[in-house]
Amino acid sequence: MSFIIKLSSAPPLRSSLSLPFHPMAIVVAKIGTVLSAKTLALERFLSSPSSSSSTRGLGLRVVACRSSPSPSTETGISRAQRSMVEAFDPEIPLPEAITPPSSWYTDPSFLALEFDRVFFRGWQAVGYTEQIERPHDFFTGRLGNVEFIVCRDTNGTLHAFHNVCRHHASLVASGSGQKSCFVCPYHGWTYGLDGTLLKATRITGIKNFKKDEFGLIPLAVATWGPFVLIRFDRHPVPHQNCCIKTVENDWLGSASNILSTNGIDSSLKHVCRREYTIQCNWKVFCDNYLDGGYHVPYAHGDLASGLNLDSYSTLIFEKVSIQRCEGGPTDKDGFDRLGSKALYAFVYPNFMINRYGPWMDTNLVVPVTTTKCQVIFDYFLDVSLVDDKVFMERSLEESERVQRGLESPAYCSGRYAPTVEMAMHHFHCRLHECLGNI
């Protein structure tokens, strides 16, 4: 049985179709309160009369919970940022480990460090291949302060560029669709789908200008299965399209084989997309996903009846964690949406792939601010069922659940449940490694 959520802020796709929230995700409303609870708790604690004496022995931990930028002799990272990173110790065994401090979820300078050390290094999922299936197809997006375009040129070659005009920095495209060229809406500079500057308007008299040096700035782009990936690394890109094996190894590591053999492929048809803006730090959403099904019996009672939670298992790879669970009994009328087993893969740092029965859905969590993220849900279905309206409507049946989150007067760090939260601990350790790497 599926669990579905609808938010009033999301535009309706069509009246008869609502979208299933993936089985491992907690109610969005609850996630949104966790971050605010951490912030509120810390403010209460630090402002209380007893806080000055009770925190003397905490040292670094208190600094990490609430910090302000300070200069450092180390290149690219402040002392405050480093203290926040070091407040989490990945060497402590899981049964004794303490979760990262609340500053990881509340401090703006920490998010800036994450963009630099996590999101702007390595491959990042940005879309799906049906968006750029034909020549002239394109779509746009944003990650941090980077605006980008992905497109196919007339010859079908895949490209990605910074979505910034080389004249006065206007965005040259928006949305998605088909174009034969990109025309800047500000001053009409025109670019080919291969990024070449085709026309620069009203530049009579300009000196020291070489047209071939003012094309759109490229980004490395690749595909794996049905997914489109970009590298945002801040260095020149010699070749846009990269060897699939290199991409596969860099993005998935040794988990690529188990994912490709468990139905994560391009044969499924994209059904629809929903986007939500959630008032929480991006890692709150990821943490929830990675709790090993801990929350399912409590937050998703209906879903729990459709899963055999005793069969729940977690596999940890270098950059991927995979949670697996067998399906439970079918409905009394034989309806079975989840199938015999479900697979939930988390690809570091922010991409989730959920495969169950004939369905696959993906969740991309994009940081917006310290306390806000955008979650993009894409839904895919076996092509043999795309036109089965009865199955579609039954599978996408709508319901709502709203739960209140945690509020504590002195929250800084928590603990892990050792038997189920291995993947969450792995995520935090991986973040620590990337953030602390000079």
Side-chain angles (χ1 to χ4, degrees):
M1 187 174 293
S2 63
F3 182 80
I4 308 116
I5 184 165
K6 178 182 178 182
L7 294 185
S8 58
S9 60
L13 183 67
R14 62 173 184 261
S15 60
S16 63
L17 185 63
S18 300
L19 273 291
F21 200 51
H22 71 73
M24 288 305 302
I26 201 165
V27 181
V28 172
K30 181 176 181 181
I31 294 177
T33 62
V34 174
L35 191 280
S36 60
K38 291 183 177 181
T39 307
L40 177 62
L42 189 59
E43 290 176 350
R44 288 176 179 171
F45 180 58
L46 292 177
S47 63
S48 65
S50 60
S51 64
S52 59
S53 59
S54 62
T55 58
R56 287 192 185 111
L58 296 180
L60 181 62
R61 184 71 66 184
V62 171
V63 172
C65 286
R66 194 177 195 180
S67 61
S68 27
S70 61
S72 171
T73 56
E74 296 174 345
T75 303
I77 184 170
S78 70
R79 290 191 183 95
Q81 288 172 326
R82 176 154 293 282
S83 72
M84 286 185 281
V85 172
E86 293 178 348
F88 174 76
D89 188 351
E91 301 301 323
I92 298 176
L94 180 58
E96 304 171 20
I98 296 174
T99 61
S102 57
S103 57
W104 281 35
Y105 301 81
T106 60
D107 194 294
S109 70
F110 197 83
L111 178 60
L113 184 64
E114 289 176 327
F115 275 121
D116 181 56
R117 301 294 177 88
V118 176
F119 291 101
F120 295 156
R121 303 186 185 187
W123 292 102
Q124 305 294 329
V126 297
Y128 56 94
T129 53
E130 286 186 53
Q131 291 176 288
I132 36 85
E133 196 170 29
R134 302 165 298 169
H136 298 180
D137 282 349
F138 81 97
F139 68 89
T140 60
R142 179 186 176 97
L143 180 62
N145 62 357
V146 178
E147 301 276 355
F148 62 86
I149 307 172
V150 179
C151 64
R152 284 199 187 276
D153 64 22
T154 302
N155 298 320
T157 303
L158 182 63
H159 299 276
F161 306 100
H162 287 271
N163 184 12
V164 178
C165 181
R166 299 296 303 281
H167 180 216
H168 286 324
S170 172
L171 302 186
V172 299
S174 61
S176 61
Q178 281 218 322
K179 286 184 180 291
S180 59
C181 60
F182 297 116
V183 181
C184 177
Y186 194 13
H187 295 109
W189 283 37
T190 303
Y191 302 87
L193 299 182
D194 61 356
T196 303
L197 177 61
L198 301 178
K199 182 173 69 174
T201 60
R202 304 184 70 171
I203 59 170
T204 302
I206 194 171
K207 297 180 179 180
N208 303 318
F209 178 79
K210 296 181 179 179
K211 188 177 175 182
D212 58 358
E213 294 179 356
F214 279 81
L216 296 175
I217 297 175
L219 292 162
V221 63
T223 62
W224 186 87
F227 310 125
V228 179
L229 315 173
I230 289 180
R231 287 191 73 120
F232 294 92
D233 303 64
R234 300 181 187 277
H235 56 71
V237 181
H239 300 289
Q240 281 211 323
N241 293 284
C242 307
C243 170
I244 184 61
K245 285 297 181 184
T246 301
V247 172
E248 184 177 77
N249 183 67
D250 289 349
W251 190 47
L252 301 174
S254 59
S256 60
N257 184 61
I258 190 171
L259 290 178
S260 59
T261 57
N262 279 271
I264 313 296
D265 57 41
S266 303
S267 66
L268 303 177
K269 180 71 174 176
H270 184 263
V271 176
C272 47
R273 163 176 285 194
R274 280 295 184 91
E275 300 181 10
Y276 301 94
T277 297
I278 305 176
Q279 301 299 321
C280 76
N281 185 276
W282 69 277
K283 294 185 295 299
V284 173
F285 191 95
C286 296
D287 287 350
N288 166 77
Y289 184 89
L290 294 169
D291 75 355
Y294 196 174
H295 72 277
V296 172
Y298 310 102
H300 306 304
D302 291 340
L303 169 63
S305 65
L307 293 170
N308 178 8
L309 294 178
D310 290 337
S311 70
Y312 217 100
S313 64
T314 301
L315 301 174
I316 304 294
F317 298 87
E318 308 93 340
K319 303 175 183 180
V320 175
S321 60
I322 297 176
Q323 302 170 82
R324 296 188 293 189
C325 188
E326 295 177 3
T330 60
D331 288 357
K332 59 184 180 181
D333 59 358
F335 182 78
D336 180 16
R337 179 179 176 275
L338 291 180
S340 61
K341 60 182 179 180
L343 177 146
Y344 313 109
F346 178 82
V347 182
Y348 178 84
N350 64 332
F351 190 57
M352 288 140 259
I353 308 169
N354 313 293
R355 188 72 166 94
Y356 42 95
W359 286 95
M360 178 175 74
D361 68 72
T362 63
N363 321 132
L364 178 65
V365 185
V366 181
V368 178
T369 68
T370 306
T371 58
K372 182 188 296 185
C373 65
Q374 182 186 40
V375 186
I376 302 170
F377 294 82
D378 283 306
Y379 296 86
F380 303 80
L381 180 62
D382 188 292
V383 292
S384 64
L385 292 168
V386 169
D387 295 324
D388 188 336
K389 302 303 181 184
V390 174
F391 181 86
M392 288 273 287
E393 291 176 7
R394 179 74 182 272
S395 294
L396 303 177
E397 182 181 343
E398 179 185 9
S399 67
E400 291 184 354
R401 294 175 64 100
V402 178
Q403 296 188 1
R404 297 183 61 86
L406 171 67
E407 283 196 21
S408 168
Y411 184 84
C412 182
S413 295
R415 297 295 300 273
Y416 299 98
T419 60
V420 289
E421 293 185 318
M422 303 84 76
M424 185 191 301
H425 183 252
H426 175 259
F427 170 52
H428 296 156
C429 290
R430 179 73 183 164
L431 273 174
H432 180 276
E433 178 185 359
C434 293
L435 294 170
N437 184 27
I438 302 300

